[in-house]
Amino acid sequence: MKETEIFERAIKWAEKHGVSAIKANTENYERPSGFRNSKSEESIIPDITGSKRGSICYVEIADKSEDSSNTASKWKLLGNIASMKNGRLFILAPRGSKSFADNLVKDNNISAEVVSL
């Protein structure tokens, strides 16, 4: 699980940018709904979800120490779901993770906006 401090910064960023009804995969917040892969039985839970102007909004926190293939799959799924629901996927990159996030999004053709945190 990612650090609480980073989640707090990401939640403040989301609120500042008009995201409401925030749910976060961290303590003191309601946990977002997840998605289950029927083949592997693996559960995918977004870091942060909310709504912006009536559309779903996913916010992921980039962490270059995570397995890049699993991260790419998760981001691709969330990006596709957000696109289907007229929403957006934001990848927030803390210091030292921006190029990792940019490369992962570009190399895997993920529909997301990478933002420095």
Side-chain angles (χ1 to χ4, degrees):
M1 180 176 276
K2 297 177 177 111
E3 296 176 38
T4 304
E5 176 191 335
I6 299 224
F7 264 99
E8 289 301 323
R9 287 176 43 208
I11 291 166
K12 285 179 184 176
W13 179 92
E15 290 172 337
K16 181 180 174 185
H17 288 85
V19 179
S20 60
I22 292 175
K23 296 180 182 178
N25 192 13
T26 188
E27 57 189 51
N28 300 325
Y29 286 88
E30 183 179 344
R31 189 175 187 184
S33 298
F35 305 94
R36 184 170 298 280
N37 182 334
S38 60
K39 293 179 182 175
S40 68
E41 294 300 317
E42 181 181 341
S43 184
I44 296 172
I45 300 170
D47 289 338
I48 300 169
T49 63
S51 62
K52 183 174 180 175
R53 297 186 201 118
S55 297
I56 188 76
C57 186
Y58 294 106
V59 179
E60 284 291 300
I61 301 168
D63 183 357
K64 66 182 179 182
S65 66
E66 292 181 344
D67 176 25
S68 62
S69 63
N70 284 340
T71 300
S73 296
K74 179 181 180 182
W75 292 357
K76 193 159 192 82
L77 171 70
L78 295 176
N80 288 339
I81 292 170
S83 292
M84 288 188 309
K85 296 183 176 187
N86 292 326
R88 295 188 63 193
L89 169 61
F90 295 96
I91 310 293
L92 302 185
R95 181 179 206 114
S97 296
K98 179 92 164 68
S99 63
F100 164 78
D102 282 332
N103 290 336
L104 206 58
V105 166
K106 182 181 173 190
D107 293 346
N108 293 282
N109 196 27
I110 297 170
S111 177
E113 181 178 339
V114 179
V115 179
S116 294
L117 182 63

